[in-house]
Amino acid sequence: MNVVTQGLILTNPSRYGKYPHLESKGFRYIQMRQILILEDNVNQMKILSTIVKSIDDVQVFEAHNVADANSLLYSNDFDVFLIDIVLNTEKKGDLSGIEFVKYVRDMKKYEFAPIIFITSLEDPKLCAYKDMRCFDYIEKPFSKEYVIKTIEKALEFPKKKVEKEIAYFKKEGILYSVRIDEVTHIIINRTGVDIYTTKDILKLGYQTATDILKQLDSKYFLLCNRSTIINVNYIEYADFSNRYIKVNGIKSVIEIGAIMLKNVKERLKEKLKE
């Protein structure tokens, strides 16, 4: 995400967080569109990635194999996919790109996401449009104009918003899954992150609040001070005069940061309307 103000772009806005007081000072937030490229050939990847990065407001993620692509799926929210059909040229009849797309289509939030096939097959339409609901395809060698035109068209496709059920967090190389509706609150300190659920506590290495909220990707989580994220569904009551929130299952109250107070009020008002 970039922050734009008076024609200037701040390339690392995460250090400030997305706080209302910045918007009141003339900051405007632009949501970067995320594009995943899955291409095994290093040279082809370099060419294609350079073309895609020339499009405004896009963030490009590169994966050279299915394992890398799978890892990126759980930590990002992609708008468009560019998938090479043949990922293993040494394997006769390889269509591993197609298999990856089948896996992606089984994920609810990517059920109708624009997928563009990368191919040098003689008749790509036979693969591209059969059962995969492919948006389009681009052929090697790449035409810069056609690639840009195709991706820009795909980015106009309405993004399906699906509330996540599971969040994934990595610890010492191991991926842990947490049910989002079971997370009550999260405490961030200098040594690490403690994710409190209705069942137990998951302790992770240090991450920023911005990174945690990105992985949760849920409207139900709210940053109420610099070190605490809460699930609004577990709030018992809020005292805005004294700036604290009582969360179900926790004996002590949680402070609302002065900077976050306005945002917390607005979010809880929205919650009452739901």
Side-chain angles (χ1 to χ4, degrees), residues 60-72:
V60 178
F61 293 79
E62 301 177 3
H64 294 280
N65 54 61
V66 171
D68 290 344
N70 279 334
S71 179
L72 290 169

Side-chain angles (χ1 to χ4, degrees), residues 1 31-37 52 57-61 72-73 75-82 109-110 114 155 159 214:
M1 182 181 293
Q31 182 66 50
M32 301 291 281
R33 282 82 57 86
Q34 297 185 331
I35 298 176
L36 174 63
I37 303 176
V52 178
D57 304 328
V58 299
Q59 186 177 13
V60 178
F61 293 79
L72 290 169
L73 277 179
S75 55
N76 296 281
D77 188 16
F78 293 108
D79 297 88
V80 175
F81 294 84
L82 275 68
K109 69 175 181 177
Y110 294 133
L155 288 169
K159 191 172 184 178
K214 181 180 177 182

